[in-house]
Amino acid sequence: MGADAAGSGAPIERPEGRYLHGVPDADLKVVGKPWRKIDARARVTGQTRFADDLFAPRMAYCKLLRSTQAHARIVRIDASAAEAMEGVYAVLLGKDLPITFGILPVSQDEHTLCIDKVRFVGDPVAAVAAVDEDTAWEACRKIVVEYEALPLVTDVFTAAATDPEAPHEHRIHDYGRLGNFHRQENLEFGDLAQGFGESDLVREDFFFFEGNTHLPMEEHATLATFDPDGKLCVQSSTQTPHYLHRALAKVLAEHVPAHKIRVIACPNGGGFGGKSDPFSHEIAVAMLSIRTGRPVKVTLTREEVFYTHRGRHPVLMRSRIGVSRSGRIKALDFETHLDGGAYGSYGTASTFYTGALQCVTYHVENYWFRGARYFTNKAPCGPKRGHGTPQPRFALEVQMDKLAVELGLDPVRIRKDNLVPANSLTANWMRVGTMALGRCIDQVVAGSGFLDRWQKLPHGKGVGLACSSYLSGAGLPIYWNAMPHSGVQLKLDRSGLVTVFCGSTDIGQGSNSILAYVVGEVLGLDPQDLRIVTSDTDLTPVDLGSYSSRVTLMTGNAALQAAERARDLIAPHVADKLGVPRNRIGFAKGRVFDVSDPDQGMPFADAVQLAESKLGTIGTTGSYRPPKSPARYKGGGVGPSANYSFTAAVVEVDVDPETGIYTVPRIFVAHDIGRSINPCLVMGQVEGSVYMGLGEAMMEEMSYRSDRFGVHKIPSMLDYKSPTTMEMPELITWLVGDPDPNGPFGAKEAGQGPLLPIMPAVANAVFDAVGVRVDEVPITPEKVFEGIERARKGKEPRVGPTKTPHVDWPEARKVRTPWQGGTGLEVEREQEELAAARANGGASRERRGD
C-alpha cells in the first residue's frame, strides 16, 4: 500500500490474510494524509476509517453525560453537535437501548441511558465514544438536554406521604407498592401480645443509620470488544460476571446472542458490594463497540463512583423490646424504613435483611418485623459489606446496652444469657449450626479487662461491647432455580499440572487461593503448583459472584467435591499398581503412596498418567448448592445460610468532655470462623472489616447539598471522610470456633460479619465515657458534644430520631415458631396443607375400600 494511493482516497488493496473488520473492499476509503502520518483526530464518517485503524482498530474511549437534575422529564435531547465533532465515533441515547435491566428479577427498572425521565443527579443520559477521553467529554458537553422539573422526593417521610392516587409525575417509578414505596414487608412469628404480656420491662427506642459508600481504591472500569466474527467480550471490574452476562444478554438481545457474549471479571481493586450490580456504563460500552467495531473503554471518575453508589442504605428504625427481669428477650417488635434512592438494585433483599438476622444472634421468643423501602431522588443504594444487617445490628446492640443499664445487669451477662443455642431453629426459622459467640465474648471480655473497666474508668474514658452474626452465603440464588450456586472443573495434565476452573471473582479477599488450598489439600499438592482460572464466562463454570460472604463456603465445597472425585479416579489404579488395598492410598507432598509404607508410591504426575492410560483424559467437576431451608414462608428466602459466623468486639474510647472530640485507642475483636483455611487471610478480612466499621461509626456519610438537592456534598476522597492509618487504632484479634460440618474443612465466612459490632460498640463506649447516647450513625464529635450540652442543660443526654413515618402496613403474614409446633409456613398455608392432606387421606381410604 503506497502513500500516493493512501493520499488519493483510492480503494486500498487488502494484504493477504488481513480481515478489514467487515468493511467491503470496494467501500473502504482512507481520508487525510498518507496513512503512516495520518492525524489521529481526523473525522471519520460512515464506512470511512482512520488509515492506521485498518488492520488494528484504535481503541475508543467512552464518557457518559449524566443528569444535572434530581427528578425531571426529558423534553428533548439534541446530540447533533456532538455527532459532528472531529474524533467522535458514536453517540448513544436512551432510545437506542430501550430494554430495562437490574440485578433482581423483581426490580428490572433501569435503562442503560434514560429515555423519558431522570431520577437522580448523575443518572446517565447519553454515552459518547471518541478518540480519547477529552474529546468524549467535550462531545458530552455539546449534547443539549431540555428538562422539565418534577416534584422531588427527598427522604422517607416525603416518600411515605406521597398520595397513592397522585399523578404519574409524583412517582419515581410506576411499579412497586403505592406512591413511592418500593417494598413493604410484614412478618409476625409467634404471639407478640403474649410475649409483651410476659415481659417485666418493655422499652421503645428510635435509631438512625446514615448511608455511606464503599470507597474502593479502584474506580469502576470496563473494556468492551466486538469482534468481526460477531462475538462480544466485556472485561469489567465486576463482582458478578454471571449476572453481568445475564444483563448484557437481555439488553443486547437484538444485537448479539447470549452464547456469543463473554464476560471476564478483572481482579478488583476493592469491591465491598459496590461492583455487584450490572451497571449502565458496562452495557453502554458494549453497545458502542458493536456500533463502531472498535474496542471501547470507560473508566469512571471518583465523582461518578459516588453517584453510581449502591452503598449502605440510610435506615430509620423503631425497636420495641420486652424482657424479663433477668434480661431474657420475650418479644421484639422491629420496624425499618430504608431510603433506597432512585432504583431497585438489591433493595428487596436489603429490606428483608434488615430483619432476617435479628433472631440469629440472640434467642427471641416472639418476633414481629415490618420493613419498608422507599424510592427517593438520590443515588441508588444497594449492598455494602454486611448488606442490610449493620443497621439493625447497631439498633439492637445499643438497645441491649440500655436494657442492661436499666435492669442493673452487666452488658456481658445480658448477652450471654440470650445467646441462640447451637444446632437450633430461630423464631423466624433460620437454622443455626455451630455457634461459638459465647467463647468470642469471653475472649474479648478477658482480653480487654472489660468487667474491671466498665462504668469504672475516669470521666471521658469508656469501653463498649457489641456482638453480631452473619451468613456464609445466601441460601437461594437471585434467580430461583434448582441449579448449583457454584461449579468447579479440574483438568489433570500428564505433566502433573492441575488446572482449576471456577467462575468466582477475587476482589481482594483471596478466593483464588482458597481454590488452590482446597484442591491442593485433597490431592497432596503444593497450592503454588496449581493453575487457577477464574471469572471468565467462556472458560469457567458458573459461580454466582462474590457477595454475601459466599465464595469460600460455596466454591470451596465445589472444589472439594471435584478434587475428591479426581482423587477417587486416580487412587484405584495406583492401588492396583502397588498391589495394596484402595483405602491405603494417600496423597501428600506431590506423591501418591501406600500410607502403610510411604516409600512405596510414585510422583503425582506418574499417577495421573497411569489413570489416563486406563480411563482416558482425566477431568472432574464439582458443584455446590446450599441445604434446603426450613423457612418456607414467603420472604423466608432471605436469611437462610449453610452456616453463620459470629463476632464479639470491645472498643475503647477517649472523649474530650469539653468538645465531644474522641479517639479510639484500641479495639478487641474475636471472630467465630469455624476453621480457618488460611488464618493470615482470615485475620486480614477481620481487620479490614473492623477498619471499615470504624469509618462508618465515626465519620462516613453520603451527604447532599442543602442548596441544591441531589448534588453530593463531598464526592471525592479528599472530602469524604474515611479513616487513614493515623486514625486506625491498635487492634487485637482472635480467631475462635469449631469446624462447621457445612463448610469446606469446617470454614465459615470472615469478610463481612466482623464489621457489624464495631458501630454499636463505639456508641456504647461513648455512653460509658460521658453518659451520652448517640442513637445514630455516624457518631460524630458534633453529636457527642450536642449530647453533653443537653446534659448540662438538664435535658435527656441523647441525640437521635424520635419518630418514623406513618405507614399503612399490609396484613401481617403470621408464622408459628418451632416451639409453637409450626412447620415454617404461614398459618394460612399450614391450614391449606393440612386440609389437602386430609382430603388426600380420605381419597386413599376410599380407593382402598376402608
Side-chain angles (χ1 to χ4, degrees):
M1 182 173 66
D4 291 340
S8 67
I12 298 176
E13 179 182 355
R14 180 173 64 183
E16 189 66 28
R18 304 305 294 271
Y19 184 76
L20 298 187
H21 298 275
V23 181
D25 288 357
D27 296 336
L28 186 61
K29 300 180 184 296
V30 177
V31 298
K33 304 172 185 176
W35 75 279
R36 293 184 186 278
K37 300 179 180 179
I38 196 165
D39 181 0
R41 289 178 178 269
R43 180 181 168 191
V44 290
T45 58
Q47 296 291 347
T48 306
R49 297 178 179 271
F50 291 124
D52 55 352
D53 289 338
L54 291 179
F55 311 118
R58 179 187 299 274
M59 181 185 293
Y61 295 86
C62 171
K63 281 295 182 183
L64 300 174
L65 176 66
R66 296 180 180 272
S67 170
T68 58
Q69 306 297 310
H71 195 200
R73 186 171 68 87
I74 298 174
V75 178
R76 70 181 182 93
I77 301 179
D78 183 357
S80 58
E83 291 170 331
M85 280 183 60
E86 282 191 4
V88 171
Y89 299 129
V91 177
L92 283 183
L93 301 179
K95 62 183 176 61
D96 298 316
L97 292 165
I99 298 174
T100 58
F101 69 95
I103 185 64
L104 300 185
V106 295
S107 53
Q108 300 281 300
D109 58 4
E110 297 185 59
H111 285 99
T112 307
L113 303 166
C114 297
I115 297 176
D116 55 351
K117 74 173 180 176
V118 295
R119 294 171 171 86
F120 72 101
V121 172
D123 225 353
V125 174
V128 175
V131 68
D132 55 35
E133 285 191 332
D134 289 343
T135 303
W137 175 233
E138 286 300 318
C140 284
R141 296 179 66 179
K142 289 183 180 294
I143 298 173
V144 177
V145 185
E146 182 182 339
Y147 296 103
E148 178 185 301
L150 296 174
L152 294 175
V153 182
T154 58
D155 56 28
V156 297
F157 288 97
T158 55
T162 303
D163 186 345
E165 305 301 324
H168 164 80
E169 59 266 22
H170 288 263
R171 297 188 70 184
I172 296 175
H173 290 281
D174 291 333
Y175 80 99
R177 291 186 59 89
L178 308 175
N180 282 305
F181 284 100
H182 178 205
R183 299 287 302 194
Q184 290 179 349
E185 304 300 337
N186 191 346
L187 290 164
E188 185 175 349
F189 305 91
D191 189 331
L192 269 291
Q194 179 180 331
F196 281 116
E198 294 173 352
S199 300
D200 297 308
L201 172 64
V202 176
R203 66 170 298 134
E204 182 178 73
D205 294 285
F206 295 87
F207 301 93
F208 178 64
F209 199 114
E210 181 59 274
N212 51 66
T213 200
H214 314 84
L215 210 67
M217 293 296 289
E218 176 200 45
E219 298 100 327
H220 301 248
T222 303
L223 171 64
T225 306
F226 187 66
D227 289 336
D229 58 0
K231 293 180 180 177
L232 173 67
C233 179
V234 176
Q235 297 169 269
S236 192
S237 55
T238 177
Q239 296 177 232
T240 53
H242 170 68
Y243 290 120
L244 174 55
H245 184 280
R246 193 178 189 116
L248 289 164
K250 180 187 179 189
V251 178
L252 303 177
E254 294 184 4
H255 305 279
V256 58
H259 69 277
K260 289 191 174 184
I261 298 174
R262 179 184 187 183
V263 176
I264 300 173
C266 306
N268 281 207
F272 314 115
K275 297 171 183 174
S276 297
D277 284 72
F279 288 101
S280 292
H281 64 272
E282 294 169 314
I283 301 172
V285 293
M287 186 61 206
L288 285 168
S289 183
I290 292 171
R291 180 165 290 188
T292 64
R294 299 171 177 274
V296 181
K297 181 180 179 180
V298 63
T299 303
L300 302 190
T301 65
R302 179 61 60 182
E303 183 174 5
E304 286 181 295
V305 174
F306 272 89
Y307 285 111
T308 302
H309 192 40
R310 315 303 160 116
R312 187 85 71 217
H313 282 75
V315 180
L316 182 61
M317 295 163 280
R318 181 189 68 83
S319 181
R320 181 169 175 257
I321 191 168
V323 298
S324 66
R325 287 186 179 85
S326 63
R328 297 299 297 269
I329 301 173
K330 309 297 288 184
L332 176 62
D333 171 5
F334 198 76
E335 186 181 305
T336 64
H337 301 264
L338 293 77
D339 185 335
Y343 290 101
S345 183
Y346 283 83
T348 296
S350 308
T351 305
F352 281 111
Y353 273 130
T354 60
L357 300 191
Q358 294 296 68
C359 301
V360 171
T361 312
Y362 304 123
H363 178 70
V364 178
E365 293 184 21
N366 303 279
Y367 179 46
W368 188 12
F369 166 66
R370 282 157 292 169
R373 186 180 191 264
Y374 307 80
F375 289 123
T376 62
N377 295 122
K378 299 175 185 175
C381 298
K384 184 187 174 186
R385 202 171 193 168
H387 189 194
T389 63
Q391 302 96 323
R393 180 53 42 197
F394 170 77
L396 189 57
E397 289 298 318
V398 172
Q399 194 168 48
M400 291 291 282
D401 217 57
K402 294 180 179 184
L403 288 168
V405 171
E406 192 166 350
L407 290 168
L409 304 172
D410 71 68
V412 178
R413 186 79 270 143
I414 194 171
R415 286 173 169 82
K416 293 193 69 174
D417 285 350
N418 279 290
L419 294 181
V420 168
N423 303 308
S424 67
L425 289 173
T426 67
N428 61 336
W429 292 88
M430 303 294 112
R431 182 186 286 116
V432 176
T434 59
M435 201 275 198
L437 181 54
R439 289 164 56 191
C440 291
I441 294 173
D442 291 342
Q443 187 68 71
V444 296
V445 166
S448 66
F450 180 85
L451 291 176
D452 295 327
R453 304 167 70 194
W454 183 66
Q455 294 192 334
K456 299 172 186 176
L457 295 171
H459 187 63
K461 296 183 181 296
V463 290
L465 170 68
C467 301
S468 70
S469 58
Y470 198 67
L471 65 161
S472 298
L476 288 173
I478 289 174
Y479 289 80
W480 289 10
N481 58 65
M483 291 183 284
H485 293 212
S486 187
V488 166
Q489 293 175 335
L490 300 186
K491 179 176 76 71
L492 282 67
D493 186 79
R494 297 174 188 179
S495 67
L497 173 67
V498 176
T499 304
V500 184
F501 297 88
C502 182
S504 61
T505 304
D506 199 317
I507 56 174
Q509 83 280 38
S511 62
N512 284 2
S513 63
I514 291 296
L515 293 169
Y517 300 148
V518 170
V519 174
E521 180 71 19
V522 174
L523 297 181
L525 302 174
D526 187 327
Q528 296 285 350
D529 293 338
L530 277 71
R531 182 75 50 80
I532 309 297
V533 179
T534 58
S535 312
D536 187 326
T537 60
D538 265 14
L539 302 181
T540 61
V542 168
D543 176 77
L544 298 183
S546 291
Y547 62 91
S548 295
S549 281
R550 58 177 299 284
V551 179
T552 292
L553 185 133
M554 297 197 184
T555 67
N557 274 323
L560 184 62
Q561 185 181 76
E564 289 175 340
R565 287 174 173 173
R567 179 194 62 195
D568 293 344
L569 287 177
I570 295 170
H573 303 289
V574 175
D576 290 346
K577 181 75 172 180
L578 300 179
V580 299
R582 159 68 184 88
N583 60 7
R584 281 172 47 182
I585 298 299
F587 291 69
K589 296 183 178 181
R591 296 181 70 249
V592 184
F593 54 89
D594 178 0
V595 295
S596 298
D597 184 5
D599 291 336
Q600 298 299 312
M602 62 185 71
F604 180 78
D606 291 351
V608 172
Q609 293 174 24
L610 178 62
E612 186 174 345
S613 69
K614 304 292 185 180
L615 302 174
T617 302
I618 305 296
T620 62
T621 63
S623 59
Y624 177 78
R625 59 177 61 85
K628 191 173 181 179
S629 168
R632 298 191 291 157
Y633 56 88
K634 184 179 180 181
V638 177
S641 183
N643 63 37
Y644 298 91
S645 72
F646 299 89
T647 312
V650 168
V651 170
E652 296 179 4
V653 297
D654 192 344
V655 184
D656 183 345
E658 298 301 317
T659 64
I661 295 173
Y662 69 95
T663 58
V664 176
R666 194 172 292 106
I667 295 177
F668 304 84
V669 61
H671 183 66
D672 171 12
I673 182 60
R675 173 186 283 158
S676 299
I677 292 178
N678 182 330
C680 183
L681 280 179
V682 173
M683 296 282 273
Q685 286 295 296
V686 171
E687 295 182 0
S689 292
V690 171
Y691 161 81
M692 189 168 278
L694 188 64
E696 296 191 34
M698 299 182 71
M699 61 191 75
E700 294 189 37
E701 57 183 325
M702 284 283 285
S703 55
Y704 296 86
R705 285 170 50 175
S706 58
D707 61 332
R708 177 80 182 280
F709 178 76
V711 177
H712 203 291
K713 188 186 295 184
I714 45 175
S716 74
M717 293 188 76
L718 176 65
D719 298 312
Y720 181 90
K721 300 305 178 188
S722 181
T724 68
T725 54
M726 300 300 293
E727 287 79 40
M728 190 63 185
E730 180 184 358
L731 181 54
I732 299 92
T733 307
W734 295 276
L735 303 180
V736 301
D738 300 314
D740 189 280
N742 284 331
F745 301 111
K748 297 183 180 183
E749 77 87 32
Q752 303 190 62
L755 176 148
L756 274 62
I758 304 305
M759 294 76 76
V762 170
N764 292 338
V766 167
F767 174 77
D768 187 47
V770 291
V772 169
R773 287 289 184 193
V774 179
D775 287 345
E776 61 182 50
V777 170
I779 306 154
T780 62
E782 293 85 351
K783 294 172 186 176
V784 177
F785 178 73
E786 181 183 345
I788 292 171
E789 287 296 291
R790 289 179 62 85
R792 288 174 179 164
K793 295 175 182 177
K795 300 179 180 179
E796 181 186 11
R798 175 187 178 272
V799 176
T802 58
K803 63 179 181 179
T804 56
H806 171 74
V807 176
D808 292 323
W809 298 99
E811 185 177 352
R813 296 194 291 276
K814 296 181 182 293
V815 182
R816 294 192 300 158
T817 62
W819 39 93
Q820 288 181 313
T823 63
L825 285 170
E826 297 92 331
V827 171
E828 281 188 12
R829 290 176 61 198
E830 279 184 337
Q831 294 170 348
E832 290 171 2
E833 277 200 357
L834 181 60
R838 287 173 177 167
N840 290 336
S844 297
R845 287 193 297 272
E846 186 175 328
R847 285 193 299 270
R848 293 195 307 265
D850 292 353

